Amino acid sequence: MTVIDANRMNEIEARYPEYFHRSFRQRFGGLMILIATLLYSLYAVWFFDLPKLFAEAHWERVGIYLSQWVSYDVQPDFRIQDDGSIEVRYPRFSPLGDNPHPDWLVDNPDGSITVSISGASRSVTVSKSRTIVTAHGISVPVDVTSGAPKVVGPVPGWMTVYDDNVLADLGFAGNVSISVDRVKIRKRFIGWANFIFDTQSSFFDKPVGEVVSLIVSRPRIKPDQSNLSLAFDDIWNNSEWQHGDVWTKLFQTIVMAFLGTLLGSLAAFPLAFLAARNITPNRLLNQILKRFFDFLRSVDMLIWALFLTRAFGPGPLAGSGAIFLTETGTLGKLYSEGLENIDNKPREGIQSTGAQTVLVHRYGIMPQIVPVIVSQTLYQWESNVRGATIIGAVGAGGIGLKLWEAMRTNANWENVAYMVILILIVVFIFDAASNALRHRLMGTKTH
Amino acid sequence: MTVAEIQPHMQSTQEIRTAWERMVARRRFYTVLGLVILIAAFVSSVRFADESNAGHFFDRLPHLFDFLSWLIPKDWNDVWRALFDIASVNDRGGEEFNFDKGRVYISGAFYIPEYFELMIVTINVALLSTLIAFVFAVPLSFFAARNLTASWPLRVFTKRLMEFLRAFPEIVIAGLFSAILSIGPVAAIIAITLHTIGALGKLFYEVAENIDMKPHEGMKAVGANWWERVRFAALPQVLPNFTSYALLRLEINVRASTIIGAVGGGGIGEELKLSISRGFGAKTMALVLLLFVTIVAVDQFSAWLRRRLVGEHAFLLQH
């Protein structure tokens, strides 16, 4: 900035004293608010005991959970039998199906098995007497002939030795747990396994071309059902991803928001006319209705949902009811404020022609208020689609409960990711549609 | 001058009349079509909701007020006792009437009733998350404002980020962080904070885009850099509105922290959910009463403060 000399500064100061001699509040108000905020932050840190909480947090889980959003693992289990042969087992619900022969598992001529965990650089070779783990550029043999597994040579940093097993951590690629008669390998893959067909399906693990030709031309797999409908059934009822259930629950959430908002707006519409000061000149009635709207809003959606789940049982009916009650309050308030802000001249004009009240409302008020009403209602619908995911978790139907269950088990984070993506898509579609509609109604341009 | 002279292609009033009637007919057709679609959607939604609900609407309707019957306590004094943690004469050792056991002693015989303490937790969750979100949303909104930030990639990125934060289900963030930080109010704080950054950021940048640009131009003319321009030209103009919106958001967040609390975030929401699901009438009444009074108090206080900051202003309620 340009520099001005002292004389000029004094001159300016003399000319505008009010800008240079300010009251105590003007000078220190901001600073005091800042200090108060900082003091409150310190209090909050103490109140929630944040240092202890963050010190005890399982930060390593962040990486694990986030990687589980986009990946899955296969856990082959190698058992060394008494006769020296090695039996390979997969867990019952392995993503590879009941009888996998993965190409990353190689039977060597000498009876040992080599598992490639990440290309050629990270692999495990299991044989009767020792297991060799190759990673980070070195091969570490683990001797399993004695009572406990023993690492031959120095123990690298990525290996941990316990009493009866040795754990080798190979990062994202997986890990290996070695005990005397058993080697457990966890190999991690990027992607969502069995997203379309689960392992029970007849179409499982078949290339796309084969699935298409099966559906189009081949003989029926099940005699009483066409292949197309069988394929659809298999996808819809996929036991791991539960597409059918997830989509139904998502649809429930949308329906809940739609029903609740529509009914709320139908109930709020006549009430708002009675609550608006300028239309119903009865102060007592205005106040009673406005406080009633406040009551409906402040006894929250959650409380209504809890009550209605007790009345109707869990499901979207309870959710719709909860949204209906809160929305009557919210929309009632918004509509009545909209009505109080209208231009009174058209009303007076129509009144002066001696028209009935109904006609005055129809031609004097409605044309002014309808765009406001429709726009507010659309906005509330959109916002309720967003909000209804939470009340679902307390039993009011919709996708919330499903999300909550998937998270509680701490194992199905890929399902959580799937549902989150679906919710985000729905919310963005609604956002765009309601924005476009509202701007057309209000006659403004979308930006 | 006749109509035919003004619009030469229209030969007679008859023609104008038919054109007008055609227009009205089309408008009516669209209105009726819209209504039919709306009614069809409504009816099928009601049927869908009814079928997938555990109890059906008309079967359960007579029982709608059943829950009110357990809500009405046998002894009305129990509501006050539950609220202020005074030992109840009805206490037979169960959980329903063990009011005095929830006392939180501060010093000697002085105690805070359990529910007041939970309410303080819930309010603190709302207050702290609004505060943190405010600190993050202010700079973000300046990056997103068209008139203040010239680089469009930064602007578009900030806007998309805020949209994403708004739309991401809060319950997932709360669930993720309660798995990391153990169950408690901090997971709720993080979830509400992230959502509030997105919600406040949108309101803020709309305010920032509507400021008077003359002070900004003046600052630019004397060679002020971006930070100085935002600090001295934009911030004083937007601060009252920003504060007002933050207060509005605080009201909403008091409710939101109750809801998140009910799904495992601690605070009064969790207690309320437990109390309702176990059918503790007096305790539920006390909790609802406390919640109602608190929320109305927060609303009124924030409305009063907002009126002082920006005057009578019709604000849209935004979730």
Side-chain angles (χ1 to χ4, degrees):
Chain A
M1 281 193 243
T2 35
V3 182
I4 48 177
D5 59 53
N7 284 338
R8 179 107 177 99
M9 273 167 87
N10 289 337
E11 191 197 332
I12 294 174
E13 196 175 332
R15 226 189 310 161
Y16 305 103
E18 68 272 27
Y19 289 107
F20 292 91
H21 303 287
R22 313 178 75 187
S23 73
F24 180 79
R25 210 178 117 203
Q26 277 174 322
R27 287 169 77 178
F28 297 108
L31 187 69
M32 276 159 70
I33 290 175
L34 191 71
I35 290 173
T37 313
L38 285 175
L39 284 177
Y40 174 73
S41 311
L42 281 177
Y43 160 75
V45 167
W46 167 81
F47 185 83
F48 291 112
D49 207 358
L50 293 183
K52 182 163 170 270
L53 199 73
F54 283 120
E56 285 176 3
H58 301 274
W59 291 112
E60 75 282 359
R61 286 187 192 163
V62 180
I64 298 172
Y65 290 154
L66 286 182
S67 68
Q68 282 174 3
W69 285 46
V70 290
S71 65
Y72 66 98
D73 54 23
V74 179
Q75 301 177 29
D77 192 0
F78 300 85
R79 306 216 176 184
I80 300 159
Q81 313 289 54
D82 292 337
D83 60 354
S85 65
I86 298 168
E87 186 198 7
V88 188
R89 276 196 210 163
Y90 292 86
R92 254 184 82 207
F93 297 108
S94 163
L96 297 182
D98 293 332
N99 190 22
H101 294 285
D103 51 7
W104 41 267
L105 203 146
V106 182
D107 285 307
N108 296 327
D110 61 346
S112 65
I113 298 177
T114 300
V115 184
S116 142
I117 290 184
S118 171
S121 63
R122 292 179 188 188
S123 65
V124 179
T125 304
V126 183
S127 68
K128 188 187 153 202
S129 55
R130 64 172 37 177
T131 298
I132 303 163
V133 184
T134 309
H136 303 286
I138 46 169
S139 289
V140 183
V142 181
D143 214 5
V144 291
T145 41
S146 54
K150 216 175 121 230
V151 182
V152 180
V155 181
W158 40 272
M159 248 183 189
T160 322
V161 182
Y162 296 99
D163 281 350
D164 53 357
N165 74 335
V166 171
L167 189 73
D169 180 14
L170 304 183
F172 179 78
N175 59 33
V176 189
S177 158
I178 304 160
S179 52
V180 172
D181 54 351
R182 191 170 175 193
V183 176
K184 280 171 85 172
I185 292 178
R186 180 199 291 268
K187 182 173 158 71
R188 189 157 275 287
F189 296 86
I190 291 278
W192 288 349
N194 312 342
F195 184 68
I196 297 175
F197 295 112
D198 66 6
T199 51
Q200 310 297 313
S201 164
S202 351
F203 300 98
F204 173 69
D205 208 19
K206 290 195 167 75
V208 181
E210 199 185 330
V211 171
V212 171
S213 74
L214 257 177
I215 289 172
V216 176
S217 56
R218 298 285 183 77
R220 290 183 168 193
I221 298 170
K222 280 185 184 167
D224 55 341
Q225 198 178 20
S226 78
N227 282 349
L228 182 62
S229 87
L230 182 69
F232 179 77
D233 265 6
D234 283 351
I235 297 173
W236 194 248
N237 301 318
N238 185 321
S239 64
E240 271 172 65
W241 290 91
Q242 303 171 333
H243 296 291
D245 201 25
V246 167
W247 285 68
T248 318
K249 293 273 162 64
L250 186 68
F251 189 62
Q252 271 183 15
T253 302
I254 299 171
V255 162
M256 267 156 59
F258 170 69
L259 272 183
T261 317
L262 184 66
L263 288 172
S265 103
L266 287 179
F269 183 66
L271 291 179
F273 276 83
L274 297 178
R277 265 201 312 272
N278 53 345
I279 294 171
T280 309
N282 181 341
R283 277 295 128 81
L284 184 68
L285 184 64
N286 294 163
Q287 281 302 317
I288 289 176
L289 276 173
K290 284 191 174 165
R291 293 292 86 79
F292 175 63
F293 292 151
D294 285 351
F295 169 75
L296 285 178
R297 273 183 308 127
S298 51
V299 177
D300 204 73
M301 199 188 272
L302 168 82
I303 302 176
W304 294 124
L306 287 171
F307 280 154
L308 291 175
T309 30
R310 270 191 84 91
F312 292 112
L317 217 50
S320 311
I323 296 175
F324 158 67
L325 289 168
T326 354
E327 275 323 285
T328 309
T330 312
L331 291 174
K333 179 194 154 79
L334 291 173
Y335 291 176
S336 61
E337 278 173 1
L339 283 169
E340 279 169 5
N341 285 332
I342 60 165
D343 183 6
N344 252 342
K345 295 203 183 70
R347 270 181 77 209
E348 283 165 11
I350 293 164
Q351 249 162 0
S352 69
T353 63
Q356 292 167 341
T357 319
V358 179
L359 290 176
V360 173
H361 286 179
R362 166 67 185 84
Y363 293 102
I365 299 173
M366 288 301 278
Q368 291 186 61
I369 196 71
V370 161
V372 178
I373 284 184
V374 176
S375 136
Q376 303 277 32
T377 316
L378 277 174
Y379 188 84
Q380 286 297 325
W381 182 21
E382 174 206 317
S383 131
N384 281 333
V385 169
R386 227 177 289 157
T389 49
I390 298 185
I391 56 164
V394 297
I399 200 152
L401 188 61
K402 222 166 159 48
L403 263 176
W404 192 242
E405 280 168 354
M407 282 187 297
R408 288 289 80 186
T409 57
N410 275 349
N412 297 326
W413 287 99
E414 71 272 25
N415 293 36
V416 174
Y418 174 46
M419 282 184 262
V420 166
I421 288 173
L422 285 181
I423 292 174
L424 285 176
I425 291 173
V426 167
V427 168
F428 282 133
I429 290 174
F430 270 74
D431 231 33
S434 127
N435 262 332
L437 263 174
R438 271 188 295 149
H439 285 295
R440 288 187 74 172
L441 271 166
M442 305 290 270
T444 52
K445 274 206 297 195
T446 10
H447 54 87
Chain B
M1 215 162 38
T2 63
V3 178
E5 274 170 76
I6 302 165
Q7 292 189 319
H9 64 283
M10 297 218 168
Q11 294 303 310
S12 64
T13 44
Q14 187 60 42
E15 221 166 304
I16 295 169
R17 198 192 169 85
T18 33
W20 183 73
E21 271 168 5
R22 213 183 301 132
M23 230 170 69
V24 169
R26 187 192 292 162
R27 245 184 83 175
R28 290 216 175 112
F29 172 72
Y30 281 135
T31 311
V32 171
L33 188 73
L35 272 180
V36 167
I37 292 174
L38 194 66
I39 290 170
F42 175 71
V43 171
S44 49
S45 311
V46 168
R47 290 188 51 174
F48 172 75
D50 196 38
E51 271 162 28
S52 45
N53 205 68
H56 295 298
F57 184 69
F58 288 107
D59 300 343
R60 296 294 309 170
L61 197 57
H63 305 279
L64 181 59
F65 294 101
D66 282 5
F67 69 86
L68 280 179
S69 59
W70 63 254
L71 200 60
I72 295 166
K74 274 169 271 160
D75 183 357
W76 277 96
N77 287 322
D78 271 345
V79 176
W80 303 111
R81 292 188 192 124
L83 200 54
F84 297 107
D85 281 4
I86 299 161
S88 168
V89 286
N90 297 318
D91 193 1
R92 300 276 179 277
E95 264 192 65
E96 191 168 0
F97 296 106
N98 62 351
F99 306 143
D100 54 322
K101 293 189 184 70
R103 288 176 183 175
V104 181
Y105 286 96
I106 300 293
S107 66
F110 179 71
Y111 67 87
I112 301 179
E114 187 188 10
Y115 292 163
F116 283 73
E117 208 237 348
L118 292 173
M119 198 68 233
I120 291 171
V121 172
T122 302
I123 291 178
N124 268 321
V125 168
L127 206 55
L128 189 62
S129 46
T130 315
L131 189 67
I132 301 173
F134 184 81
V135 171
F136 280 97
V138 169
L140 278 182
S141 69
F142 289 131
F143 293 140
R146 195 177 309 154
N147 50 353
L148 296 176
T149 301
S151 118
W152 69 266
L154 177 65
R155 222 164 55 215
V156 169
F157 172 75
T158 323
K159 284 188 184 176
R160 291 296 95 77
L161 175 74
M162 291 192 297
E163 264 170 32
F164 181 75
L165 287 176
R166 267 202 309 278
F168 204 89
E170 282 164 297
I171 184 179
V172 174
I173 300 171
L176 184 66
F177 278 95
S178 62
I180 294 161
L181 293 169
S182 77
I183 288 176
V186 177
I189 294 178
I190 295 171
I192 298 172
T193 303
L194 290 178
H195 182 85
T196 310
I197 292 175
L200 278 185
K202 178 194 157 75
L203 296 171
F204 283 3
Y205 85 71
E206 281 170 1
V207 172
E209 281 183 352
N210 286 325
I211 59 166
D212 179 8
M213 288 303 280
K214 290 206 186 72
H216 185 265
E217 278 165 26
M219 295 292 295
K220 211 170 181 173
V222 297
N225 64 22
W226 193 84
W227 290 108
E228 287 164 341
R229 291 200 306 264
V230 166
R231 165 67 187 84
F232 294 105
L235 200 64
Q237 288 189 59
V238 295
L239 211 51
N241 275 317
F242 277 19
T243 321
S244 163
Y245 276 131
L247 284 169
L248 192 71
R249 197 64 222 181
L250 179 69
E251 290 175 35
I252 298 167
N253 281 352
V254 171
R255 287 157 225 250
S257 57
T258 322
I259 300 193
I260 298 268
V263 288
I268 202 155
E270 196 169 8
E271 194 62 33
L272 181 71
K273 188 188 163 201
L274 282 176
S275 168
I276 290 181
S277 61
R278 289 177 189 168
F280 295 165
K283 280 188 172 179
T284 309
M285 283 285 269
L287 281 167
V288 170
L289 202 67
L290 184 62
L291 255 179
F292 180 63
V293 170
T294 313
I295 287 176
V296 169
V298 171
D299 280 13
Q300 292 300 324
F301 172 70
S302 121
W304 170 79
L305 207 58
R306 269 189 288 141
R307 260 201 302 279
R308 285 200 53 184
L309 278 168
V310 290
E312 288 283 349
H313 216 289
F315 277 113
L316 203 67
L317 275 153
Q318 309 224 16
H319 285 254

